[in-house]
Amino acid sequence: MTLTKNQMDILKKYECATLCDFLSVYPLRYDIYELSDETHLVDGQSVILEGYITSSLKSVHYAKNKSVTHFTFDAMKSYRVSIFNRHYLKAPQDPLRKVTLIGKYKHPNQVIASTLYYQPLVELGRIHPIYPLKDKTPLRSIKSMIAKALSVCQNYNHDPLPIDVIQSYQLMNQAEAMKNIHQPESLQELMKAILRFKVSEFLEYHIQIQNNRLRVVHSKQQRHLSSDSITPIIQSLPYTLTLDQQDALHTLFHDSNQPVTASALLQGDVGSGKTVVALCLAYAYIHAGFSVALMVPTEVLAYQHFETAVKTLNGLKDNIFILTSSTKPSERKIMLEYIKSQPSLVIGTHALFSDDVHYNRLGLVIIDEQHRFGVAQRMKLIQKGMDVDVLSMSATPIPRTLASVLFADMNVVTLQNKPLNRGSVQTHVIEGNSFTTVLDDILETIQRKEQVYVITSLIEDDGESRSAMSVYANLKKAFGKQFEIGLLHGKMKNEEKNKVLNAFTSNKIAMLVSTSVVEVGVDVPNATRMIIYDAHRFGLSSLHQLRGRIGRSEKSSICYLINPSQDPLSFQRLQVLVDSHDGFEIASQDLKLRGPGDLIGLKQSGLPSFQFANIISDYDLLIKTKQTALELLQSQSKQHQEYITQVIEQSLKGID
Ligand code: ADP
Ligand code: MG
């Protein structure tokens, strides 16, 4: 099979090794083409219209590579159409043949078109798979690659799913499902294909979870943790632990002292105080002569936990280290010697499982924001010790019944209630593109010596959304003389990032303009306002996590969501945040408001995410497949065992 250079480039962009791998680039969603009812059009709604182009096409170039083309379009009514960056469009060859126009309706008679087909709707087909577009790869190139792959790749003809599973769930076979997921013939066939993918996803998930349980070590080195050891730590805290925190510690100590390796999930909404629980437990391990590795997803968070640990666990200072990919080689060498020779608390990013890192009796691995790490990464760290206990932490508290299915391999411990010293957090949606309407509130906040986050979705301009760089430059120009403004984003060097974050933590900076690098974990209780530009571009769970950066003290806080989008769905989504402060509720709504396969932003939710299956709306299937998975695991049949082996091998890919 020969591929053009262009097609090879596309494979690379989608991180596929072969053309056949490309079949697992699935549609994000499916557009169903149906004619809009022209008698009931609402301003801003998406429309599909069939009609005739009844004027010449006039293009205007207004910037480099930017143009807008205008024409008149007659369906039942007559519309003035604008379409961007399509200066090459021509009038249809046959003016009597209907064309199809897709776009947004603007009252009273305008359409901002996104697509123009020189065909009537019937010829286009009804169901259109929409793929994730990377680096501006055109949709039609993706579709033609998929068509090619479907015609030449035969390797999916061998169906991995056991035949009795296929029968009892009445599933399509693999080849049929693959064809229909990419080129659905009808809505009914598509739904059947999706069902097949959902069942596979759930079965694989359950099998992996059950397999984790089998890896448990039943006679580990005794930990002998003593709760007395942490009394001085607890007494020196500037607050008293909540009852939930105390209960959690009690449970975690108990589990750790069992002869079986402990595996717990500490869950609690943003700001519920998980860090201090983890640090107390870590202290007890080190006191008992074991090392602890605390892994976090970002360097910013690693530094912050390091500072907190040094402050909180006084007396242990010399045994606390921070290890990231930007640790200087000379420091790293000395540090690794220490870590090897004495029980230590090592805080860091994925650098914690580099080959040259050896721990002194590693007893506990703590994984903060656990959903940010893949199975392989978690396993690599855990395998640094012989019989390691694991504490995972997640910011989305899942109800008990659901948690017992999703996290059947862990003991789920929940911090239900937040510390009592918390002021209210209000959330407002601001329509438009700026925060001038609430400027007074922001300036007063800064006068009170409280601090403000300004969040953007981008680092640099892309012409559509506001970027951290340009917002920073504008604010600096307007207010730079009145108060200090800082800038934080992922492309900055770590030293710079830490400098900025430290300055913000110590209130030397009043306003911090940042991308979502502050999303996870950052803890500056004196910050009480957050402005989020282009809020519609974030997932709801991400917004909830971002908002969790404020409301961390007794002062009341406000989060402003700036929404420039006219789409009613954007407003509806953001309203969920105004109404709810419950991370699980928000994640569930996010799941419900998204289509199948639409994963953007969901990684942040802490709920296990699947391409097709949805743990909320497919709950019954989730339960049913668990039962099937357990049966398969106990079965002696060769076909069942082969399937299980294949699933487990697949999940362990990337682990040595
Ligand atoms: P998260 O659960 O989101 O990781 P953190 O551990 O960052 O939350 O804690 C949020 C804030 O609450 C921190 O500033 C921490 O010092 C504070 N905190 C933790 N426990 C208590 C408590 N019992 N009383 C008051 N403040 C607390
Ligand atoms: Mg945290």
Side-chain angles (χ1 to χ4, degrees), residues 60-68 84-87 136:
V60 185
H61 291 262
Y62 60 90
K64 197 176 159 226
N65 296 331
K66 299 221 186 276
S67 69
V68 55
F84 286 89
N85 306 326
R86 246 39 85 74
H87 56 274
K136 305 199 167 131

CSV table of all heavy atoms in Angstrom, one decimal, residues 60-68 84-87 136:
chain,number,residue,atom,x,y,z
A,60,VAL,N,-13.9,39.8,-0.6
A,60,VAL,CA,-13.0,40.9,-0.1
A,60,VAL,C,-11.9,40.3,0.7
A,60,VAL,O,-12.1,39.5,1.6
A,60,VAL,CB,-13.9,41.9,0.8
A,60,VAL,CG1,-13.1,43.1,1.2
A,60,VAL,CG2,-15.2,42.3,0.2
A,61,HIS,N,-10.7,40.8,0.4
A,61,HIS,CA,-9.5,40.3,1.3
A,61,HIS,C,-9.3,41.4,2.3
A,61,HIS,O,-9.1,42.5,2.0
A,61,HIS,CB,-8.3,40.1,0.4
A,61,HIS,CG,-8.4,39.0,-0.5
A,61,HIS,ND1,-7.9,37.7,-0.3
A,61,HIS,CD2,-9.1,38.8,-1.7
A,61,HIS,CE1,-8.2,36.9,-1.2
A,61,HIS,NE2,-9.0,37.5,-2.1
A,62,TYR,N,-9.3,41.0,3.6
A,62,TYR,CA,-9.2,42.0,4.6
A,62,TYR,C,-7.9,41.9,5.4
A,62,TYR,O,-7.6,42.7,6.3
A,62,TYR,CB,-10.4,42.1,5.5
A,62,TYR,CG,-10.7,40.8,6.3
A,62,TYR,CD1,-10.2,40.6,7.5
A,62,TYR,CD2,-11.6,39.9,5.7
A,62,TYR,CE1,-10.5,39.4,8.2
A,62,TYR,CE2,-11.9,38.7,6.4
A,62,TYR,CZ,-11.4,38.5,7.6
A,62,TYR,OH,-11.7,37.4,8.3
A,63,ALA,N,-7.2,40.8,5.3
A,63,ALA,CA,-5.9,40.7,6.0
A,63,ALA,C,-5.1,39.6,5.2
A,63,ALA,O,-5.7,38.9,4.3
A,63,ALA,CB,-6.1,40.3,7.4
A,64,LYS,N,-3.9,39.3,5.7
A,64,LYS,CA,-3.1,38.2,5.0
A,64,LYS,C,-3.9,36.9,5.1
A,64,LYS,O,-4.3,36.5,6.2
A,64,LYS,CB,-1.8,38.1,5.7
A,64,LYS,CG,-0.8,37.4,4.9
A,64,LYS,CD,0.6,37.4,5.6
A,64,LYS,CE,1.4,36.3,5.0
A,64,LYS,NZ,2.1,35.5,6.0
A,65,ASN,N,-4.1,36.2,4.0
A,65,ASN,CA,-4.8,35.0,4.0
A,65,ASN,C,-6.2,35.0,4.6
A,65,ASN,O,-6.8,34.0,5.0
A,65,ASN,CB,-4.1,33.9,4.8
A,65,ASN,CG,-2.7,33.6,4.2
A,65,ASN,OD1,-2.6,33.7,3.0
A,65,ASN,ND2,-1.8,33.2,5.0
A,66,LYS,N,-6.8,36.2,4.7
A,66,LYS,CA,-8.2,36.3,5.2
A,66,LYS,C,-9.1,36.9,4.2
A,66,LYS,O,-8.7,38.0,3.6
A,66,LYS,CB,-8.2,37.0,6.5
A,66,LYS,CG,-7.4,36.4,7.6
A,66,LYS,CD,-8.1,36.5,8.9
A,66,LYS,CE,-7.2,36.0,10.0
A,66,LYS,NZ,-7.2,34.6,10.2
A,67,SER,N,-10.2,36.3,4.0
A,67,SER,CA,-11.2,36.9,3.0
A,67,SER,C,-12.6,36.6,3.4
A,67,SER,O,-12.8,35.7,4.2
A,67,SER,CB,-10.9,36.3,1.6
A,67,SER,OG,-11.3,35.0,1.6
A,68,VAL,N,-13.5,37.4,2.9
A,68,VAL,CA,-14.9,37.0,3.1
A,68,VAL,C,-15.6,37.2,1.8
A,68,VAL,O,-15.4,38.1,1.0
A,68,VAL,CB,-15.6,37.9,4.3
A,68,VAL,CG1,-15.4,39.4,4.0
A,68,VAL,CG2,-17.0,37.6,4.4
A,84,PHE,N,-16.3,32.8,5.2
A,84,PHE,CA,-15.0,33.3,5.4
A,84,PHE,C,-13.9,32.4,4.7
A,84,PHE,O,-14.1,31.2,4.7
A,84,PHE,CB,-14.7,33.4,6.9
A,84,PHE,CG,-15.4,34.6,7.5
A,84,PHE,CD1,-16.6,34.5,8.0
A,84,PHE,CD2,-14.7,35.9,7.5
A,84,PHE,CE1,-17.3,35.6,8.5
A,84,PHE,CE2,-15.4,37.0,8.0
A,84,PHE,CZ,-16.7,36.8,8.5
A,85,ASN,N,-12.9,33.0,4.2
A,85,ASN,CA,-11.7,32.3,3.7
A,85,ASN,C,-12.0,31.3,2.6
A,85,ASN,O,-11.5,30.2,2.6
A,85,ASN,CB,-10.9,31.7,4.8
A,85,ASN,CG,-10.6,32.7,5.9
A,85,ASN,OD1,-10.4,33.9,5.6
A,85,ASN,ND2,-10.6,32.3,7.1
A,86,ARG,N,-13.0,31.6,1.7
A,86,ARG,CA,-13.3,30.7,0.6
A,86,ARG,C,-13.4,31.5,-0.7
A,86,ARG,O,-14.3,31.4,-1.4
A,86,ARG,CB,-14.7,30.1,0.9
A,86,ARG,CG,-14.9,28.7,1.2
A,86,ARG,CD,-13.9,27.9,2.0
A,86,ARG,NE,-14.2,28.0,3.4
A,86,ARG,CZ,-15.2,27.4,4.0
A,86,ARG,NH1,-16.0,26.7,3.4
A,86,ARG,NH2,-15.4,27.6,5.3
A,87,HIS,N,-12.3,32.4,-0.9
A,87,HIS,CA,-12.3,33.3,-2.0
A,87,HIS,C,-12.3,32.5,-3.3
A,87,HIS,O,-12.7,33.0,-4.4
A,87,HIS,CB,-11.1,34.2,-2.0
A,87,HIS,CG,-9.8,33.4,-1.9
A,87,HIS,ND1,-9.3,32.9,-0.7
A,87,HIS,CD2,-9.0,32.9,-2.9
A,87,HIS,CE1,-8.2,32.2,-0.9
A,87,HIS,NE2,-8.0,32.2,-2.2
A,136,LYS,N,-5.1,21.7,11.3
A,136,LYS,CA,-5.8,22.1,10.1
A,136,LYS,C,-5.9,21.0,9.0
A,136,LYS,O,-6.0,21.4,7.9
A,136,LYS,CB,-5.2,23.4,9.6
A,136,LYS,CG,-5.2,24.5,10.6
A,136,LYS,CD,-5.1,25.8,10.0
A,136,LYS,CE,-5.3,26.9,11.0
A,136,LYS,NZ,-4.3,28.0,11.1
